[in-house]
Amino acid sequence: MSLLSDLSAKIDARRRSEEELRDAPDRIVVCDKEWNYVSDVESWIEYDVAVEVNDTEEGWFSIPGDHPLADWLVHGTGLEEDLHFYIETAAGMRLGYKVDEVTREYDAVEGYETVSVRGLHDFEHTKHILFQPNTIAPLELQVPKSDLQAGRSKGVVRSYFFRNLARMQQPGWLFGFNLWGASNWQSNMIPDQWQVIMAPQIGPDTSEWTILSARMDYGWDFVRRTLDDAGLQITAKRWLPGDPQPFPTHTTLSKPTLVLDVVERSFLSGSTGTILDPILDLIRVIAPDGTSETITIADPNSGPQPPEGIHAPVVIWRASQHQGLAGSRMVVHKANRHTVVIGGKSPQWVNSSIKLLLNSALGWIGTLIGLPGLGLGLFDKAVEDVVLAWQRFTSWTRKSSMGSHAYKEDFAPGDAWTISGLQAGRVGLFEGRGYVSFSASVVDYSPYVVGRDVNLGDRCGFEIGGRIWLSHIVKLRRRASREVPAEWLITVGDSRDDELAGTKALRHLETLRNEVSRYSSSI
């Protein structure tokens, strides 16, 4: 056999193998409340599951009403008993969900009954963990009043989750100063007691610095802005017996466990400055007023090499016949505001100063006329919240771009003339910005595979309108039915509004100010 024939045979064999994997059906598995295997779901009608960066998504599947599992799904567990399922692709990607609804529906016209099972992705666990002020003290005695942490963002977020999970699952563990040390875990960790575990920090932490202070806050609500600021992502993966150990140097898992991790994605700040940044790289210059911005687009189509500072995409899907891009949709959102007004209440120091001056003046007048208590406290309410109670923010460059027929002004919540007020004004303007979003449908093994070559949060390129657009995957959705084979729907770019990167320092200053005020009030 010639070299060319041998090479051709290998290519054909590889193509057949990839076609078999591409056409292999996804596996749907139902589990009980302890994540123990119950049954594979065969003969399903359709399913639709999704996973999103730093947020919870839904997943569901449906089966015929006469399916062997139908009665068990509806009546086999109590109303207050948990039920779970996961979907696993041929590439080994597993998406797990906790069931929150089971629906039995009968169509009298068609004479057909279906049972649908809907659940929330395992990421939802991060929204049901409270960050106590003191994780080693009893709830009835919480001293100090808050848990103040300063350091690298990834380590701080990881520490909050781990210590609060430990107080619920392995109370009494005194971590010492080497929280992530392998010897510390090997000597103290009892993995069978953990249903949800935060992975240890392995290797150097190069994420941005942050300052946070927790006082019985929900975990996800508390850290989500920090995650976006620092380009971090919390992953939630369902580990099952038989899977590779996630961190064998530290401990060995043996029971089904949800493994949380905080990963640092390579990204370049765009007009949101977050991992959810828009498609083209942007260079921002913020004017001295703190609100106006000048933005220059660094176009990745301008040359074969990415501009300096831009991380090359993991993969690029092109619109040619064999490049896996089945369809795409791109939306340009126009700006809708250039001016916002915030406020309603004056800063406390302003109210206090005005009342002090007024009461002093009235007291002086009263002394002169023989009534030393004249007006004391009489006008307090009347003079509150009248001076410096409102603040206007205008993006002059955007106002010029929008033209003379733009909407005149809008209101945004926030306290005027404070550090947080400057942040609120910038965010108010940010919410009315112009931006670009898009989604794309891709086919596995043409040539890339979701879960093997690319995953949630990765930076990728997509050919749309004859141009390559670079952005991060912020949402993965997989769907299939009896008539339509499984495909991935990928959402990339700015799919939701998030905090401006420029507000990060302001938020940190506000956190410090609140912390100083909190401790000062206790002295």
Side-chain angles (χ1 to χ4, degrees), residues 18 71 81 89 97 107 117 135 163 165 243 266 283 326 332 343 354 356 363 366 384 434 515:
E18 292 187 344
D71 285 342
E81 185 176 347
T89 69
Y97 300 84
D107 187 335
V117 178
T135 57
R163 290 181 293 108
L165 287 169
D243 292 345
S266 295
I283 301 171
V332 177
I354 291 175
L356 177 62
E384 281 186 357
E515 193 60 27

PDB file of all heavy atoms in Angstrom, residues 18 71 81 89 97 107 117 135 163 165 243 266 283 326 332 343 354 356 363 366 384 434 515:
ATOM      1  N   GLU A  18     -15.320   9.993  13.962  1.00  0.00           N
ATOM      2  CA  GLU A  18     -15.903  11.245  14.412  1.00  0.00           C
ATOM      3  C   GLU A  18     -17.380  11.334  14.048  1.00  0.00           C
ATOM      4  O   GLU A  18     -18.178  11.895  14.805  1.00  0.00           O
ATOM      5  CB  GLU A  18     -15.128  12.422  13.829  1.00  0.00           C
ATOM      6  CG  GLU A  18     -13.713  12.554  14.395  1.00  0.00           C
ATOM      7  CD  GLU A  18     -13.017  13.807  13.933  1.00  0.00           C
ATOM      8  OE1 GLU A  18     -13.501  14.418  12.945  1.00  0.00           O
ATOM      9  OE2 GLU A  18     -11.991  14.182  14.531  1.00  0.00           O
ATOM     10  N   ASP A  71     -44.583   7.009  35.624  1.00  0.00           N
ATOM     11  CA  ASP A  71     -45.263   6.951  36.922  1.00  0.00           C
ATOM     12  C   ASP A  71     -44.281   7.170  38.069  1.00  0.00           C
ATOM     13  O   ASP A  71     -44.609   7.827  39.068  1.00  0.00           O
ATOM     14  CB  ASP A  71     -45.983   5.613  37.087  1.00  0.00           C
ATOM     15  CG  ASP A  71     -47.260   5.538  36.253  1.00  0.00           C
ATOM     16  OD1 ASP A  71     -47.743   6.613  35.835  1.00  0.00           O
ATOM     17  OD2 ASP A  71     -47.750   4.424  36.007  1.00  0.00           O
ATOM     18  N   GLU A  81     -39.098  15.260  48.453  1.00  0.00           N
ATOM     19  CA  GLU A  81     -37.914  14.439  48.211  1.00  0.00           C
ATOM     20  C   GLU A  81     -37.243  14.873  46.917  1.00  0.00           C
ATOM     21  O   GLU A  81     -37.903  15.008  45.875  1.00  0.00           O
ATOM     22  CB  GLU A  81     -38.305  12.964  48.129  1.00  0.00           C
ATOM     23  CG  GLU A  81     -37.116  12.010  47.992  1.00  0.00           C
ATOM     24  CD  GLU A  81     -37.544  10.554  48.012  1.00  0.00           C
ATOM     25  OE1 GLU A  81     -38.715  10.285  48.372  1.00  0.00           O
ATOM     26  OE2 GLU A  81     -36.722   9.696  47.660  1.00  0.00           O
ATOM     27  N   THR A  89     -22.723  14.012  27.081  1.00  0.00           N
ATOM     28  CA  THR A  89     -22.489  13.888  25.644  1.00  0.00           C
ATOM     29  C   THR A  89     -21.444  12.823  25.371  1.00  0.00           C
ATOM     30  O   THR A  89     -20.743  12.352  26.271  1.00  0.00           O
ATOM     31  CB  THR A  89     -22.009  15.227  25.062  1.00  0.00           C
ATOM     32  OG1 THR A  89     -20.690  15.503  25.553  1.00  0.00           O
ATOM     33  CG2 THR A  89     -22.945  16.363  25.455  1.00  0.00           C
ATOM     34  N   TYR A  97     -28.591  18.598  36.915  1.00  0.00           N
ATOM     35  CA  TYR A  97     -29.724  19.444  37.274  1.00  0.00           C
ATOM     36  C   TYR A  97     -30.490  18.857  38.455  1.00  0.00           C
ATOM     37  O   TYR A  97     -30.666  17.635  38.543  1.00  0.00           O
ATOM     38  CB  TYR A  97     -30.677  19.610  36.078  1.00  0.00           C
ATOM     39  CG  TYR A  97     -30.010  20.246  34.884  1.00  0.00           C
ATOM     40  CD1 TYR A  97     -29.265  19.465  33.991  1.00  0.00           C
ATOM     41  CD2 TYR A  97     -30.068  21.612  34.669  1.00  0.00           C
ATOM     42  CE1 TYR A  97     -28.613  20.037  32.918  1.00  0.00           C
ATOM     43  CE2 TYR A  97     -29.416  22.185  33.598  1.00  0.00           C
ATOM     44  CZ  TYR A  97     -28.702  21.402  32.720  1.00  0.00           C
ATOM     45  OH  TYR A  97     -28.043  21.968  31.668  1.00  0.00           O
ATOM     46  N   ASP A 107     -53.111  15.869  26.081  1.00  0.00           N
ATOM     47  CA  ASP A 107     -53.693  16.598  24.960  1.00  0.00           C
ATOM     48  C   ASP A 107     -54.864  15.779  24.432  1.00  0.00           C
ATOM     49  O   ASP A 107     -54.673  14.743  23.778  1.00  0.00           O
ATOM     50  CB  ASP A 107     -52.643  16.808  23.872  1.00  0.00           C
ATOM     51  CG  ASP A 107     -53.139  17.721  22.753  1.00  0.00           C
ATOM     52  OD1 ASP A 107     -54.367  17.808  22.551  1.00  0.00           O
ATOM     53  OD2 ASP A 107     -52.288  18.338  22.079  1.00  0.00           O
ATOM     54  N   VAL A 117     -39.817  16.859  32.720  1.00  0.00           N
ATOM     55  CA  VAL A 117     -39.030  17.030  33.944  1.00  0.00           C
ATOM     56  C   VAL A 117     -38.119  18.232  33.748  1.00  0.00           C
ATOM     57  O   VAL A 117     -37.327  18.275  32.802  1.00  0.00           O
ATOM     58  CB  VAL A 117     -38.201  15.765  34.247  1.00  0.00           C
ATOM     59  CG1 VAL A 117     -37.359  15.974  35.498  1.00  0.00           C
ATOM     60  CG2 VAL A 117     -39.105  14.552  34.411  1.00  0.00           C
ATOM     61  N   THR A 135     -16.919  31.786  60.709  1.00  0.00           N
ATOM     62  CA  THR A 135     -17.288  30.433  60.276  1.00  0.00           C
ATOM     63  C   THR A 135     -16.947  29.355  61.301  1.00  0.00           C
ATOM     64  O   THR A 135     -17.372  28.208  61.146  1.00  0.00           O
ATOM     65  CB  THR A 135     -16.581  30.094  58.945  1.00  0.00           C
ATOM     66  OG1 THR A 135     -15.168  30.225  59.112  1.00  0.00           O
ATOM     67  CG2 THR A 135     -17.054  31.018  57.838  1.00  0.00           C
ATOM     68  N   ARG A 163     -14.690  27.830  53.451  1.00  0.00           N
ATOM     69  CA  ARG A 163     -14.862  27.903  54.898  1.00  0.00           C
ATOM     70  C   ARG A 163     -16.327  27.796  55.307  1.00  0.00           C
ATOM     71  O   ARG A 163     -16.652  27.206  56.347  1.00  0.00           O
ATOM     72  CB  ARG A 163     -14.240  29.199  55.429  1.00  0.00           C
ATOM     73  CG  ARG A 163     -12.721  29.194  55.368  1.00  0.00           C
ATOM     74  CD  ARG A 163     -12.088  30.458  55.913  1.00  0.00           C
ATOM     75  NE  ARG A 163     -12.372  31.627  55.104  1.00  0.00           N
ATOM     76  CZ  ARG A 163     -13.183  32.610  55.463  1.00  0.00           C
ATOM     77  NH1 ARG A 163     -13.790  32.554  56.651  1.00  0.00           N
ATOM     78  NH2 ARG A 163     -13.376  33.652  54.679  1.00  0.00           N
ATOM     79  N   LEU A 165     -18.694  26.216  53.524  1.00  0.00           N
ATOM     80  CA  LEU A 165     -19.092  24.822  53.288  1.00  0.00           C
ATOM     81  C   LEU A 165     -18.553  23.925  54.405  1.00  0.00           C
ATOM     82  O   LEU A 165     -19.226  22.984  54.840  1.00  0.00           O
ATOM     83  CB  LEU A 165     -18.568  24.360  51.929  1.00  0.00           C
ATOM     84  CG  LEU A 165     -19.279  24.929  50.699  1.00  0.00           C
ATOM     85  CD1 LEU A 165     -18.494  24.612  49.435  1.00  0.00           C
ATOM     86  CD2 LEU A 165     -20.702  24.388  50.583  1.00  0.00           C
ATOM     87  N   ASP A 243     -15.112   8.567  37.903  1.00  0.00           N
ATOM     88  CA  ASP A 243     -14.474   9.709  37.251  1.00  0.00           C
ATOM     89  C   ASP A 243     -13.054   9.886  37.784  1.00  0.00           C
ATOM     90  O   ASP A 243     -12.748   9.463  38.906  1.00  0.00           O
ATOM     91  CB  ASP A 243     -15.276  10.988  37.530  1.00  0.00           C
ATOM     92  CG  ASP A 243     -16.642  10.983  36.855  1.00  0.00           C
ATOM     93  OD1 ASP A 243     -16.852  10.141  35.961  1.00  0.00           O
ATOM     94  OD2 ASP A 243     -17.487  11.820  37.236  1.00  0.00           O
ATOM     95  N   SER A 266      -8.458  33.637  30.468  1.00  0.00           N
ATOM     96  CA  SER A 266      -7.704  34.652  29.736  1.00  0.00           C
ATOM     97  C   SER A 266      -8.685  35.498  28.958  1.00  0.00           C
ATOM     98  O   SER A 266      -9.440  34.981  28.140  1.00  0.00           O
ATOM     99  CB  SER A 266      -6.715  33.989  28.772  1.00  0.00           C
ATOM    100  OG  SER A 266      -5.741  33.268  29.481  1.00  0.00           O
ATOM    101  N   ILE A 283     -10.297  49.964  23.394  1.00  0.00           N
ATOM    102  CA  ILE A 283      -9.365  50.749  24.192  1.00  0.00           C
ATOM    103  C   ILE A 283     -10.153  51.920  24.757  1.00  0.00           C
ATOM    104  O   ILE A 283     -10.705  52.732  24.011  1.00  0.00           O
ATOM    105  CB  ILE A 283      -8.193  51.250  23.338  1.00  0.00           C
ATOM    106  CG1 ILE A 283      -7.443  50.052  22.720  1.00  0.00           C
ATOM    107  CG2 ILE A 283      -7.246  52.104  24.158  1.00  0.00           C
ATOM    108  CD1 ILE A 283      -6.411  50.442  21.703  1.00  0.00           C
ATOM    109  N   ALA A 326     -23.365  26.318  11.988  1.00  0.00           N
ATOM    110  CA  ALA A 326     -24.633  26.010  11.332  1.00  0.00           C
ATOM    111  C   ALA A 326     -25.502  27.232  11.132  1.00  0.00           C
ATOM    112  O   ALA A 326     -26.368  27.256  10.257  1.00  0.00           O
ATOM    113  CB  ALA A 326     -25.391  24.962  12.151  1.00  0.00           C
ATOM    114  N   VAL A 332     -27.069  44.479  16.773  1.00  0.00           N
ATOM    115  CA  VAL A 332     -26.450  45.742  17.166  1.00  0.00           C
ATOM    116  C   VAL A 332     -27.487  46.534  17.959  1.00  0.00           C
ATOM    117  O   VAL A 332     -28.551  46.880  17.434  1.00  0.00           O
ATOM    118  CB  VAL A 332     -25.986  46.543  15.940  1.00  0.00           C
ATOM    119  CG1 VAL A 332     -25.412  47.890  16.374  1.00  0.00           C
ATOM    120  CG2 VAL A 332     -24.960  45.754  15.145  1.00  0.00           C
ATOM    121  N   GLY A 343     -30.252  59.932  43.046  1.00  0.00           N
ATOM    122  CA  GLY A 343     -30.387  60.579  44.339  1.00  0.00           C
ATOM    123  C   GLY A 343     -31.788  60.519  44.909  1.00  0.00           C
ATOM    124  O   GLY A 343     -32.577  59.623  44.612  1.00  0.00           O
ATOM    125  N   ILE A 354     -26.337  70.950  58.030  1.00  0.00           N
ATOM    126  CA  ILE A 354     -27.389  71.961  57.882  1.00  0.00           C
ATOM    127  C   ILE A 354     -28.207  72.074  59.162  1.00  0.00           C
ATOM    128  O   ILE A 354     -28.513  73.182  59.633  1.00  0.00           O
ATOM    129  CB  ILE A 354     -28.289  71.614  56.686  1.00  0.00           C
ATOM    130  CG1 ILE A 354     -27.509  71.785  55.379  1.00  0.00           C
ATOM    131  CG2 ILE A 354     -29.534  72.492  56.672  1.00  0.00           C
ATOM    132  CD1 ILE A 354     -28.269  71.362  54.155  1.00  0.00           C
ATOM    133  N   LEU A 356     -27.244  71.329  62.178  1.00  0.00           N
ATOM    134  CA  LEU A 356     -26.409  71.920  63.204  1.00  0.00           C
ATOM    135  C   LEU A 356     -26.340  73.441  63.047  1.00  0.00           C
ATOM    136  O   LEU A 356     -26.497  74.195  64.027  1.00  0.00           O
ATOM    137  CB  LEU A 356     -25.006  71.319  63.141  1.00  0.00           C
ATOM    138  CG  LEU A 356     -23.981  71.894  64.125  1.00  0.00           C
ATOM    139  CD1 LEU A 356     -24.425  71.635  65.564  1.00  0.00           C
ATOM    140  CD2 LEU A 356     -22.598  71.284  63.868  1.00  0.00           C
ATOM    141  N   GLY A 363     -30.807  78.980  68.011  1.00  0.00           N
ATOM    142  CA  GLY A 363     -30.473  79.060  69.439  1.00  0.00           C
ATOM    143  C   GLY A 363     -29.872  80.399  69.801  1.00  0.00           C
ATOM    144  O   GLY A 363     -30.154  80.964  70.865  1.00  0.00           O
ATOM    145  N   GLY A 366     -32.649  82.892  69.767  1.00  0.00           N
ATOM    146  CA  GLY A 366     -33.469  82.693  70.961  1.00  0.00           C
ATOM    147  C   GLY A 366     -32.815  83.240  72.215  1.00  0.00           C
ATOM    148  O   GLY A 366     -33.488  83.787  73.105  1.00  0.00           O
ATOM    149  N   GLU A 384     -34.066  68.453  55.725  1.00  0.00           N
ATOM    150  CA  GLU A 384     -33.413  67.211  55.300  1.00  0.00           C
ATOM    151  C   GLU A 384     -33.621  66.976  53.807  1.00  0.00           C
ATOM    152  O   GLU A 384     -34.705  67.249  53.271  1.00  0.00           O
ATOM    153  CB  GLU A 384     -33.957  66.009  56.083  1.00  0.00           C
ATOM    154  CG  GLU A 384     -33.390  65.863  57.474  1.00  0.00           C
ATOM    155  CD  GLU A 384     -33.866  64.580  58.138  1.00  0.00           C
ATOM    156  OE1 GLU A 384     -34.682  63.851  57.523  1.00  0.00           O
ATOM    157  OE2 GLU A 384     -33.433  64.312  59.267  1.00  0.00           O
ATOM    158  N   GLY A 434     -24.622  51.684  23.679  1.00  0.00           N
ATOM    159  CA  GLY A 434     -24.779  50.835  22.512  1.00  0.00           C
ATOM    160  C   GLY A 434     -23.826  49.654  22.607  1.00  0.00           C
ATOM    161  O   GLY A 434     -22.703  49.794  23.080  1.00  0.00           O
ATOM    162  N   GLU A 515     -16.968  49.358  56.036  1.00  0.00           N
ATOM    163  CA  GLU A 515     -16.365  48.545  57.084  1.00  0.00           C
ATOM    164  C   GLU A 515     -15.885  49.421  58.233  1.00  0.00           C
ATOM    165  O   GLU A 515     -16.082  49.091  59.402  1.00  0.00           O
ATOM    166  CB  GLU A 515     -15.195  47.737  56.514  1.00  0.00           C
ATOM    167  CG  GLU A 515     -14.697  46.643  57.439  1.00  0.00           C
ATOM    168  CD  GLU A 515     -15.772  45.632  57.757  1.00  0.00           C
ATOM    169  OE1 GLU A 515     -16.676  45.452  56.937  1.00  0.00           O
ATOM    170  OE2 GLU A 515     -15.696  45.023  58.845  1.00  0.00           O
TER     171      GLU A 515
END
